[in-house]
Amino acid sequence: MRIAIVTDAAQTQINGVVNTLRATTAGLRSNGHEVLLLSPDDCQTFACPTYPEIRLAYKPYARVAASLKAFAPDCIHISTEGPMGLAARRFCLRQGIGFTTAYHTRFPEYLSARSMLPKAVTYRWLRWFHGPSKAVMVPTQHVMKELEQRGFRHLVLWGRGVDTERFKPVDEDHACIVRPLYLYVGRIAVEKNIESFLRVDLPGTKWVIGDGPLREELQQRYPEVQFLGAKAHHELTSYYNCADVMVFPSHTDTFGLVMVEAMACGVPVAAYPVPGPVDVVAHGRSGILDHDLTSACLMALSLDRREVRRHALEYSWEAATLQFQHHLHLIQGAKVRLKKILTSQSRPVSGV
């Protein structure tokens, strides 16, 4: 199939949405599909309000429409709800084309944490955005239940995976580290609740990997914490393997890929028992979930790293990609083109 994926997350960004789409695109191509990934990378952009590091596409409709017409996709998936997603949604509705969407990010909680908009207002807008979607893909059962209660329709599960060949236990030189080492990986922003980790009194060392609007302020307030900046995805394996515990203090993530990546390296997770961690971490096996983050961090130290790794092996990008394929909506009229493709190939195309 010819699959178009539209996203507002530029490929230069370092976050879970980019990594998920990168792995999914690779999986789709490996399964024999042709994929067009439309992102703001070639567009004129402007700074995202309150988050200037993130650039959003400025008036991208003409480019999105032209690209989709030229590609003539069999399926269109709109991954995000920003200007690129809005442009693709507008194009599909104008052309009478069915499409699917995804719910990656808890924007209502993010905006509420920044005192910008009440959650009810943002959820109303998101219901409007996803309303025409043939399938709204969500990462966990908890997120699905929450959105159902808020009136969303056509919800389906699209899980996540981990590259267990890249993220695996590796011997590192730990001689200079004061143990135990507690590691945070993610954006340094209010919605990530990172300060809950920074202010807890723990023995040993704390490392923070990532960047964001609060970095400078928190770096000054917590001089004993080592802020190492953002790292490329392929660099994270070394940092995970240095850690004794991966700390994930967020209350607002829909999944939390960094938890699975750390677990794949044998590093147990300490987190709150909230949606995201409760779906990813096996309490007492691959991590500790506790409303007392200090207790979770200390208890996680005693977990068997081999067992942590075994739990991470249950996550597969191959399985997640097949889920994604299954939920795609075949555009009306594309079946004729697809039938011709199928008859000319030696093996069937999956996910129809």
Side-chain angles (χ1 to χ4, degrees):
M1 289 190 296
R2 296 167 64 82
I3 302 168
I5 300 175
V6 184
T7 176
D8 289 275
Q11 295 306 291
T12 53
Q13 293 179 20
I14 303 174
N15 58 48
V17 175
V18 171
N19 293 334
T20 295
L21 293 182
R22 187 176 290 132
T24 302
T25 299
L28 291 170
R29 287 171 175 157
S30 178
N31 290 345
H33 302 296
E34 187 174 349
V35 181
L36 170 69
L37 184 63
L38 285 176
S39 74
D41 289 313
D42 298 322
C43 294
Q44 183 181 352
T45 62
F46 64 96
C48 178
T50 78
Y51 214 132
E53 298 94 327
I54 294 178
R55 307 292 300 182
L56 299 175
Y58 179 70
K59 294 185 177 180
Y61 181 79
R63 174 177 172 264
V64 169
S67 297
L68 291 175
K69 287 179 180 178
F71 184 65
D74 298 303
C75 306
I76 297 176
H77 176 73
I78 303 173
S79 184
T80 53
E81 301 98 341
M84 294 289 291
L86 283 166
R89 180 186 185 276
R90 177 182 166 197
F91 171 82
C92 290
L93 293 178
R94 281 186 169 186
Q95 301 297 321
I97 295 173
F99 59 92
T100 58
T101 57
Y103 185 80
H104 288 277
T105 307
R106 294 178 185 272
F107 284 120
E109 283 71 17
Y110 283 21
L111 294 174
S112 177
R114 293 165 185 260
S115 302
M116 294 181 68
L117 283 173
K119 286 189 284 187
V121 173
T122 315
Y123 273 116
R124 188 180 309 123
W125 186 87
L126 288 172
R127 279 195 300 272
W128 169 83
F129 181 92
H130 292 282
S133 175
K134 299 296 183 180
V136 183
M137 304 188 199
V138 300
T140 70
Q141 292 287 356
H142 276 93
V143 172
M144 181 180 290
K145 184 176 180 181
E146 285 183 5
L147 293 182
E148 282 177 346
Q149 292 172 346
R150 292 186 178 275
F152 286 71
R153 301 175 302 143
H154 307 141
L155 299 167
V156 295
L157 190 64
W158 171 31
R160 301 293 185 266
V162 63
D163 183 345
T164 54
E165 289 301 310
R166 169 179 287 178
F167 296 103
K168 60 185 177 182
V170 177
D171 289 333
E172 298 286 342
D173 182 5
H174 300 159
C176 63
I177 299 173
V178 178
R179 296 286 172 185
L181 171 59
Y182 300 94
L183 176 68
Y184 169 88
V185 178
R187 286 196 304 277
I188 304 177
V190 62
E191 67 270 9
K192 295 297 186 178
N193 195 34
I194 181 177
E195 202 164 2
S196 290
F197 163 54
L198 299 180
R199 64 172 172 251
V200 296
D201 185 16
L202 292 168
T205 305
K206 294 178 183 177
W207 284 2
V208 171
I209 293 178
D211 212 340
L214 287 183
R215 179 181 174 183
E216 185 176 345
E217 175 189 339
L218 295 179
Q219 205 163 350
Q220 293 176 354
R221 290 172 56 188
Y222 298 94
E224 72 283 3
V225 177
Q226 295 189 45
F227 288 79
L228 304 177
K231 303 297 177 184
H233 197 217
H234 68 271
E235 296 181 90
L236 292 178
T237 302
S238 295
Y239 291 96
Y240 288 137
N241 275 283
C242 288
D244 294 294
V245 176
M246 167 74 181
V247 185
F248 192 83
S250 175
H251 287 262
T252 60
D253 274 62
T254 58
F255 191 85
L257 276 179
V258 292
M259 290 187 287
V260 189
E261 291 170 355
M263 287 157 43
C265 295
V267 181
V269 174
Y272 293 106
V274 296
V278 296
D279 299 283
V280 174
V281 178
H283 177 66
R285 181 187 178 197
S286 58
I288 298 295
L289 305 178
D290 199 310
H291 290 289
D292 182 341
L293 193 60
T294 303
S295 176
C297 289
L298 296 174
M299 292 177 64
L301 291 169
S302 63
L303 295 181
D304 185 342
R305 294 173 75 99
R306 293 168 299 181
E307 190 60 29
V308 174
R309 163 79 175 174
R310 278 193 283 271
H311 180 218
L313 293 175
E314 297 174 13
Y315 291 90
S316 159
W317 279 123
E318 290 78 11
T321 300
L322 288 175
Q323 274 187 317
F324 179 86
Q325 289 178 201
H326 176 73
H327 297 317
L328 289 172
H329 174 75
L330 194 63
I331 295 171
Q332 188 175 8
K335 291 183 179 180
V336 175
R337 295 196 301 274
L338 183 61
K339 187 174 182 180
K340 292 179 180 178
I341 294 172
L342 288 173
T343 56
S344 65
Q345 291 181 340
S346 59
R347 64 186 182 95
V349 177
S350 59
V352 178

